[in-house]
Amino acid sequence: MKNIFKTFICVVLGVLLMLTAVACNNNQGGENPLPGNYSRPSNPNINNEFTATSNTLVAYFSKTNTTKGVAETIQELTDADIFEIERKEPYPNSYTPTTEVAKEEKDNNARPELATYLPDEVIAQYDTIILGFPIWWHTAPMAVLSFLNYYDVSGKTIYTFCTSGTSPITESTVDVRNNAIGATVVEGRRFTGSNDSNIESWLDGLGLIKTPEQPEVPETPVESTESLTYELNGNAYTVTGVTENVDNIVIPATYNGLAVTTIGESAFAYSRHNEDIYSVTIPDSVTTIERNAFYNRDEMTTVNIGQNSQLTTIGNNAFSGNHSLTSIYIPSTVMSIGDSAFNNDGAINFTVAQANSVYRSENGHLIERATNTLIRGGQNGEVPSGITAIAQAAFRNSTNITELVIPVSVTVIGNYFIASSSIVTVNYMGTEEDWNAIAKSASMWNYGNRDVELIYKTQSKVLVVYFSAQNHTETVANYIAIATGGELFELVPVNPYLSADLNYTNQSSRVYQEYLNESLRDTELVSYTVENWETYDTVFIGYPIWWGVAAWLVNNFIKNNDFTFK
């Protein structure tokens, strides 16, 4: 393992991580409890400019920026604060010396001092800490335990995550628990990099994904629309329409001292009361939007529903025919969405509150939780894996999608599900036999979709892309191509790497200088284009490992090709 360039051959679909190898030894995790003689550093460097803007903190340690990338992805998805755990005396630059120092610290149960600490009063404001690190010698680096020992984390929930090519997170969780006194430690996941598709699903399962900010709707709007009409129903009012031409409707929370709780049937449908309505602001007091309330408002672009909305019911066809509506927020209180509520809304994306127990959104699609039914499609052409039913007219009149991917999990497809849409190709991820077993009717293709191309998932067409510095990766690439019947595509740099360029022990060598300076890694390739690229559905990417990451010239190939549906 000492000579990475010469002996470490890797063909993978992701980037393997530095220091993975240190997990393969006789040392074990779970052997580093809180030291009995632990005391805080005498003169720590406190970052007094750091302020808490959330109740969640992403704290991470990263040696090669892999964990940093995952942490930043988590921060972006959760809108949490973020803090990097850094050792006061940095670990060596080179691989082997770092592993030696890490092992010595582990063996001695050391707690190295950190470069920076957060003020105690800042840490006190966090209820949740998402703690990330690479796996070194079966566990977290000792600097991570230094972070935990320094603070009072009692009463907090700590979710762990790690980055590693192969090493599990389990043993490190024991050490985290033993050093996070009084905290609830929840074992998390191992990720391979910041583009790992499992990050979002993990956070979603924990309920930590941020909900996009929705416009605040004042309880007593000062600019509510004066020409609205009302009907008294018991102790509350129903909005029934508007008597003047008003472009932007603002419904008040109260009228004549009573709550406004309902938007009535067909209240703003067609051009019944005025020619154009471009937006409507719905107060938190409204619990029901009745059938056809905004039916066929083709020009309406904006529906403002606040995060504290008490809305429970959206009636049949309530927003049907809103072709210009690009997004809508479904609050946690909505328990019923009627048939065709968003029919023909071909440009819409949905965001459902995380706490909603009946509905959810994924990639902009509106999904019923209990039945895993995709009720109305958003602007993503891929039906999420696990969906079992696609509702009638789910993608009807969709204007921004040309290809639709349907997973083999789907067992029911409703009539005219892509009628009059821009979809010209349906890629089904199962066989023709699987497709024929799906419950559907002959009229499924009616209404302007009789010429749609249906493509079944048959035998994969494989492409093996590789860069080989010293012929090792080429050998493995050839083996994979033969075993899979795949075709080869070699990544050839315009300026080839010579033997002297690859001397990683020489700090003046080309590859060492590229390692030190990322701006030098933008290696031009002889060709980025694979003939008939669109016909391949499985791609192997092979490369040597350079300083714990993929040889960097593969990045340009990846950036210059569209991997959608592969």
Side-chain angles (χ1 to χ4, degrees):
M1 290 302 299
K2 292 183 178 180
N3 190 333
I4 298 174
F5 285 83
K6 293 184 179 179
T7 63
F8 201 153
I9 304 166
C10 183
V11 178
V12 292
L13 293 177
V15 177
L16 287 184
L17 310 173
M18 180 180 182
L19 296 173
T20 298
V22 299
C24 304
N25 53 72
N26 294 324
N27 288 65
Q28 301 297 316
E31 298 176 342
N32 295 94
L34 174 66
N37 60 347
Y38 173 79
S39 61
R40 281 184 157 190
S42 57
N43 188 27
N45 179 24
I46 307 294
N47 183 356
N48 289 308
E49 295 182 358
F50 193 103
T51 57
T53 63
S54 166
N55 63 358
T56 300
L57 175 69
V58 178
Y60 70 93
F61 173 85
S62 188
K63 177 66 169 66
T64 64
N65 291 330
T66 303
T67 310
K68 179 181 180 181
V70 176
E72 289 176 342
T73 298
I74 292 172
Q75 189 274 332
E76 181 179 348
L77 291 169
T78 60
D79 206 22
D81 296 336
I82 190 165
F83 174 74
E84 183 175 6
I85 300 168
E86 299 176 274
R87 192 171 180 262
K88 183 176 181 179
E89 182 181 346
Y91 289 99
N93 288 329
S94 300
Y95 171 80
T96 301
T98 296
T99 65
E100 293 169 348
V101 173
K103 184 177 186 303
E104 182 180 359
E105 286 184 341
K106 181 186 184 305
D107 290 346
N108 294 329
N109 200 23
R111 296 296 183 270
E113 186 173 349
L114 304 184
T116 309
Y117 296 85
L118 296 180
D120 290 328
E121 58 271 22
V122 170
I123 289 292
Q125 295 182 59
Y126 297 114
D127 301 323
T128 302
I129 297 176
I130 305 174
L131 184 66
F133 43 82
I135 298 295
W136 288 5
W137 301 105
H138 287 266
T139 190
M142 294 299 102
V144 173
L145 304 186
S146 296
F147 172 84
L148 292 171
N149 295 163
Y150 185 87
Y151 300 106
D152 177 7
V153 294
S154 58
K156 302 185 188 300
T157 300
I158 298 176
Y159 297 99
T160 60
F161 72 91
C162 76
T163 53
S164 171
T166 56
S167 301
I169 194 172
T170 303
E171 292 175 298
S172 65
T173 303
V174 176
D175 284 329
V176 171
R177 285 201 178 104
N178 289 338
N179 284 271
I181 307 303
T184 299
V185 176
V186 180
E187 183 174 297
R189 301 279 186 88
R190 173 175 63 85
F191 301 113
T192 57
S194 58
N195 61 345
D196 194 318
S197 60
N198 293 316
I199 297 175
E200 185 168 1
S201 61
W202 174 59
L203 294 171
D204 188 32
L206 298 176
L208 294 175
I209 298 286
K210 69 178 178 182
T211 301
E213 290 186 7
Q214 300 299 315
E216 289 295 331
V217 181
E219 285 298 319
T220 54
V222 294
E223 298 181 359
S224 58
T225 303
E226 293 183 358
S227 55
L228 293 172
T229 58
Y230 302 88
E231 181 180 284
L232 182 62
N233 291 303
N235 293 321
Y237 278 100
T238 296
V239 176
T240 57
V242 63
T243 59
E244 298 178 358
N245 289 335
V246 181
D247 291 345
N248 302 294
I249 299 290
V250 178
I251 299 172
T254 59
Y255 178 72
N256 284 345
L258 296 177
V260 176
T261 60
T262 305
I263 299 174
E265 180 178 338
S266 300
F268 302 99
Y270 311 103
S271 298
R272 176 178 169 182
H273 300 295
N274 63 347
E275 294 181 0
D276 295 310
I277 296 176
Y278 296 109
S279 72
V280 60
T281 297
I282 300 173
D284 292 346
S285 60
V286 168
T287 60
T288 303
I289 300 174
E290 293 186 343
R291 67 191 300 269
N292 298 332
F294 298 95
Y295 182 68
N296 268 8
R297 274 294 171 189
D298 183 67
E299 77 286 351
M300 191 164 70
T301 62
T302 306
V303 175
N304 295 317
I305 299 175
Q307 288 180 310
N308 297 318
S309 171
Q310 298 305 302
L311 184 64
T312 62
T313 304
I314 300 175
N316 295 353
N317 291 300
F319 294 94
S320 177
N322 289 193
H323 299 106
S324 300
L325 188 61
T326 58
S327 65
I328 194 165
Y329 173 69
I330 308 296
S332 61
T333 48
V334 171
M335 297 290 107
S336 174
I337 296 177
D339 292 341
S340 302
F342 301 98
N343 187 33
N344 292 324
D345 295 353
I348 197 169
N349 274 307
F350 296 89
T351 300
V352 180
Q354 213 49 55
N356 192 300
S357 60
V358 179
Y359 303 99
R360 67 183 179 90
S361 55
E362 184 174 346
N363 296 334
H365 305 305
L366 177 62
I367 299 166
E368 185 180 59
R369 288 184 182 272
T371 61
N372 274 326
T373 297
L374 191 151
I375 299 171
R376 178 67 206 182
Q379 302 310 294
N380 186 300
E382 187 166 356
V383 175
S385 178
I387 293 297
T388 57
I390 300 175
Q392 175 173 296
F395 290 92
R396 185 173 186 173
N397 270 313
S398 290
T399 56
N400 298 325
I401 302 172
T402 57
E403 290 193 38
L404 187 67
V405 177
I406 299 178
V408 73
S409 58
V410 171
T411 59
V412 178
I413 298 178
N415 284 339
Y416 40 92
F417 75 116
I418 58 171
S420 303
S421 71
S422 57
I423 297 170
V424 295
T425 305
V426 172
N427 294 285
Y428 178 61
M429 293 294 99
T431 64
E432 184 174 4
E433 183 180 3
D434 295 329
W435 175 263
N436 291 335
I438 293 176
K440 52 192 181 299
S441 72
S443 61
M444 179 182 70
W445 299 112
N446 287 358
Y447 300 99
N449 287 108
R450 294 176 178 84
D451 297 325
V452 171
E453 183 182 13
L454 176 61
I455 300 174
Y456 304 112
K457 175 82 170 182
T458 53
Q459 185 174 358
S460 295
K461 187 172 181 183
V462 175
L463 178 69
V464 183
V465 179
Y466 71 95
F467 165 69
S468 190
Q470 296 174 315
N471 298 326
H472 299 312
T473 310
E474 181 178 20
T475 301
V476 181
N478 275 283
Y479 177 85
I480 292 175
I482 293 170
T484 62
E487 298 178 19
L488 290 164
F489 184 80
E490 183 179 5
L491 302 181
V492 180
V494 171
N495 182 15
Y497 286 89
L498 305 177
S499 296
D501 296 332
L502 296 169
N503 185 356
Y504 77 99
T505 62
N506 180 359
Q507 297 190 14
S508 297
S509 68
R510 174 184 173 185
V511 75
Y512 203 105
Q513 289 301 305
E514 290 174 344
Y515 162 65
L516 295 176
N517 185 350
E518 290 189 17
S519 66
L520 299 176
R521 300 182 190 176
D522 190 15
T523 308
E524 184 179 0
L525 300 176
V526 171
S527 176
Y528 302 92
T529 305
V530 179
E531 188 175 358
N532 298 321
W533 168 254
E534 69 281 356
T535 65
Y536 297 99
D537 57 10
T538 301
V539 182
F540 287 84
I541 301 179
Y543 43 79
I545 295 294
W546 289 358
W547 280 281
V549 299
W552 29 82
L553 78 170
V554 302
N555 295 338
N556 266 346
F557 175 80
I558 292 171
K559 287 188 293 186
N560 280 277
N561 287 281
D562 181 4
F563 285 81
T564 305
F565 306 137
K566 297 195 186 302

